Amino acid sequence: MALSEFALIARYFAALGSSRADVVLGVGDDGAILAPPRDSELVAVVDTLVEGVHFPVGSPPASIGHRAFAVNLSDLAAMGAEPAWALLALTLPDAEEQWLAEFARAAGDIARQHGVALVGGDTTSGPLSITVQLLGFAPRGTSLRRSGAAVGDGLFVSGTPGDAAAGLAIEQGKLVLADELHAGMLRDRFLFPTPRCAIGRELLGIASSCIDVSDGLGGDLEKLCVASGCGAEIEVNSLPLSDALRAAVGEPQAIDYCLTGGDDYELLFTIPQERWAQFAAKVSAGLGPVTRIGTIVQGSGVGLARPRGVTQFSHSGFDHFAH
Ligand SMILES: [Mg+2]
């Protein structure tokens, strides 16, 4: 590396993100000292992005910086936790300064947007790989889990799943669109996903279960069902398909993208009937883009309800080790 590890961290990452009063000691010592609020529980998540596995080789550095934080923020959102502190482990083939500047700017922007302070980091030389650990908190005993769904609960999803998978296909040249506006919108959904942190926190005390959609809506719903010991039925006609996705691939394939595409980072959650009014009030007050897509049912697995009948969803989500 042209820059020493210390100089690299000092130049690009020491001031990354927000400053927070609960950081007693940040970057620079052997460890960070953090003071979570009294009566809170700590929620810890970590995710690694490897070039060529989680993003195409040669992806824009701003997208990599954004996604490294967005995927972790999405996991905290699924727990209903408030993001607070981040640790970054960066493995770089070389310390190319333009690349680092763009990566750090985008990472810093999304960290600041969510009030996250970078409190530690490590850099090594090797094939491009980024690991971010995020720590957040929620009032003790309130964090959302995958395991609380019960028969009769309404099933909801945020945003328009499927867009990111189409965007990745466009990035990889596997999907070619004549409409540049639609192509740009779909690519952005892959390159710069929006973690639903505000929605997740509003669901505390209301949702009975929650998971973020990272491996495909159908497969992630299967995980929620296994954790909760129940089944789910999706009303296929109520799936929220974006106009861009519908126009890009047509309705039948848009449904496939929506159910099996990955990298959406939307929230999939369940609301018990007795809390529907409370939830509806949150939606009216501007909770964000959420759509009811089905119901939790007895049994196991995910059913797809169409006017001609119910079929079983069978495609398990994208498996990193199956390719
Ligand atoms: Mg997750």
Side-chain angles (χ1 to χ4, degrees), residues 45 47 71-72 74-76 78-79 146 211-215 220 223 265-266:
V45 303
D47 226 317
V71 300
N72 282 286
S74 179
D75 277 332
L76 283 186
M79 306 298 290
R146 299 176 179 184
I211 187 172
D212 76 318
V213 179
S214 52
D215 298 334
D220 285 328
K223 292 174 199 159
Y265 303 106
E266 297 295 349

Side-chain angles (χ1 to χ4, degrees), residues 1-16:
M1 284 192 189
L3 286 167
S4 74
E5 179 179 311
F6 181 79
L8 186 142
I9 292 173
R11 182 171 307 179
Y12 292 106
F13 299 114
L16 191 151

Side-chain angles (χ1 to χ4, degrees), residues 5-291:
E5 179 179 311
F6 181 79
L8 186 142
I9 292 173
R11 182 171 307 179
Y12 292 106
F13 299 114
L16 191 151
S18 302
S19 61
R20 295 180 60 99
D22 51 18
V23 178
V24 181
L25 187 63
V27 174
D29 210 308
D30 292 308
I33 305 176
L34 310 168
R38 238 172 231 286
D39 301 321
S40 64
E41 56 194 9
L42 208 52
V43 180
V45 303
V46 64
D47 226 317
T48 296
L49 300 184
V50 177
E51 185 178 49
V53 178
H54 302 97
F55 57 88
V57 174
S59 283
S63 166
I64 300 168
H66 177 97
R67 290 183 81 245
F69 280 77
V71 300
N72 282 286
L73 285 163
S74 179
D75 277 332
L76 283 186
M79 306 298 290
E82 178 177 339
W85 311 296
L87 296 140
L88 170 68
L90 196 53
T91 304
L92 294 168
D94 51 61
E96 209 267 289
E97 296 207 29
Q98 178 71 20
W99 191 99
L100 275 170
E102 288 175 31
F103 173 91
R105 192 185 324 114
D109 284 349
I110 186 169
R112 262 188 305 280
Q113 272 168 31
H114 292 273
V116 170
L118 185 79
V119 298
D122 186 33
T123 55
T124 46
S125 214
L128 182 59
S129 159
I130 304 100
T131 297
V132 172
Q133 180 186 27
L134 275 190
L135 300 163
F137 47 77
R140 192 165 291 181
T142 66
S143 298
L144 303 173
R145 302 171 188 212
R146 299 176 179 184
S147 56
V151 173
D153 289 359
L155 177 66
F156 294 80
V157 74
S158 66
T160 51
D163 291 354
L168 175 59
I170 294 166
E171 276 294 284
Q172 295 172 320
K174 294 176 183 168
L175 180 63
V176 180
L177 301 192
D179 188 318
E180 283 184 25
L181 185 64
H182 285 155
M185 285 168 63
L186 296 171
R187 285 177 68 242
D188 266 3
R189 297 302 300 145
F190 173 76
L191 295 172
F192 299 100
T194 306
R196 302 295 188 179
C197 294
I199 294 179
R201 276 148 74 186
E202 290 292 326
L203 293 177
L204 285 182
I206 296 182
S208 49
S209 70
C210 188
I211 187 172
D212 76 318
V213 179
S214 52
D215 298 334
L217 174 56
D220 285 328
L221 178 54
E222 284 179 333
K223 292 174 199 159
L224 184 146
C225 287
V226 168
S228 295
C230 60
E233 198 164 286
I234 292 176
E235 288 290 337
V236 172
N237 285 339
S238 66
L239 287 171
L241 307 175
S242 72
D243 291 341
L245 183 63
R246 225 187 271 265
V249 298
E251 173 118 357
Q253 221 193 326
I255 291 168
D256 285 348
Y257 269 106
C258 184
L259 287 172
T260 64
D263 300 307
D264 295 304
Y265 303 106
E266 297 295 349
L267 294 183
L268 180 65
F269 54 94
T270 55
I271 306 284
Q273 286 188 30
E274 65 269 22
R275 297 196 206 117
W276 282 0
Q278 210 183 337
F279 177 65
K282 296 255 184 200
V283 174
S284 302
L287 177 68
V290 294
T291 306

